[in-house]
């Protein structure tokens, strides 16, 4: 949920999420993999070092409009948040790729081992 902080005297509207970290954790769980580990927790914690904030400042030449300020602040907030989601998903996809490569290498070793055993058995039956 987005919270708005409005300062009419200075013509400023600030938008922020009430619980951004929980949202990022839920987004990461959408992958339903074993990637959610301690390193992912640290990655999310680092993302949260600077919480997403959208700020709209009314120009001195303009008349302050609270609704327009909210829309601008919300759009800036969502842009920052989407950038964080992109970084989070890139991190998770990278981890999944690393895991996939590890599995592939294990399977390849098992296939090579089985091939060697089969080759040995074939040679011993000649």
């Amino acid at each position: 949920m987005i919270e708005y902080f409005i300062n009419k005297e200075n013509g400023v509207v600030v938008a922020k999420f009430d619980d951004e970290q929980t949202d990022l954790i839920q987004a990461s769980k959408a992958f339903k993999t074993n990637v959610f580990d301690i390193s992912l927790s640290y990655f999310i914690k680092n993302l949260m070092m600077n919480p997403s904030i959208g700020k709209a400042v009314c120009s001195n030449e303009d008349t302050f409009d609270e609704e327009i300020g909210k829309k601008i602040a919300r759009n800036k907030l969502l842009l920052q948040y989407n950038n964080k989601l992109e970084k989070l998903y890139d991190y998770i996809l990278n981890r999944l790729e690393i895991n996939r490569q590890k599995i592939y290498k294990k399977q390849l070793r098992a296939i090579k081992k089985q091939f060697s055993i089969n080759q040995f058995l074939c040679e011993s039956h000649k």
Side-chain angles (χ1 to χ4, degrees), residues 94-119:
N94 185 34
R95 292 293 305 270
L96 289 172
E97 179 62 23
I98 290 169
N99 288 346
R100 187 191 64 77
Q101 288 176 2
K102 287 179 184 177
I103 291 168
Y104 173 76
K105 287 178 183 177
K106 284 181 185 177
Q107 290 173 336
L108 189 59
R109 282 194 299 269
I111 290 168
K112 285 180 180 178
K113 187 175 182 180
Q114 187 62 48
F115 179 76
S116 296
I117 292 170
N118 289 345
Q119 193 174 24

Side-chain angles (χ1 to χ4, degrees), residues 26-114:
Q26 291 303 320
S28 66
K29 287 183 178 180
F31 281 89
K32 296 182 181 173
T33 67
N34 60 351
V35 175
F36 196 83
D37 57 15
I38 195 76
S39 63
L40 181 58
S41 298
Y42 282 122
F43 187 80
I44 291 173
K45 185 177 178 181
N46 286 335
L47 278 180
M48 292 308 304
M49 294 293 280
N50 296 310
S52 300
I53 294 175
K55 184 176 181 181
V57 180
C58 183
S59 170
N60 291 337
E61 296 84 38
D62 291 332
T63 304
F64 179 73
D65 185 319
E66 186 176 317
E67 290 307 310
I68 291 174
K70 282 183 176 181
K71 287 178 184 177
I72 293 169
R74 185 191 79 232
N75 288 341
K76 288 182 176 182
L77 170 69
L78 292 176
L79 182 62
Q80 280 187 19
Y81 182 71
N82 286 335
N83 288 336
K84 284 185 181 183
L85 279 179
E86 186 177 339
K87 288 178 185 177
L88 175 64
Y89 290 156
D90 284 346
Y91 177 84
I92 291 172
L93 290 172
N94 185 34
R95 292 293 305 270
L96 289 172
E97 179 62 23
I98 290 169
N99 288 346
R100 187 191 64 77
Q101 288 176 2
K102 287 179 184 177
I103 291 168
Y104 173 76
K105 287 178 183 177
K106 284 181 185 177
Q107 290 173 336
L108 189 59
R109 282 194 299 269
I111 290 168
K112 285 180 180 178
K113 187 175 182 180
Q114 187 62 48

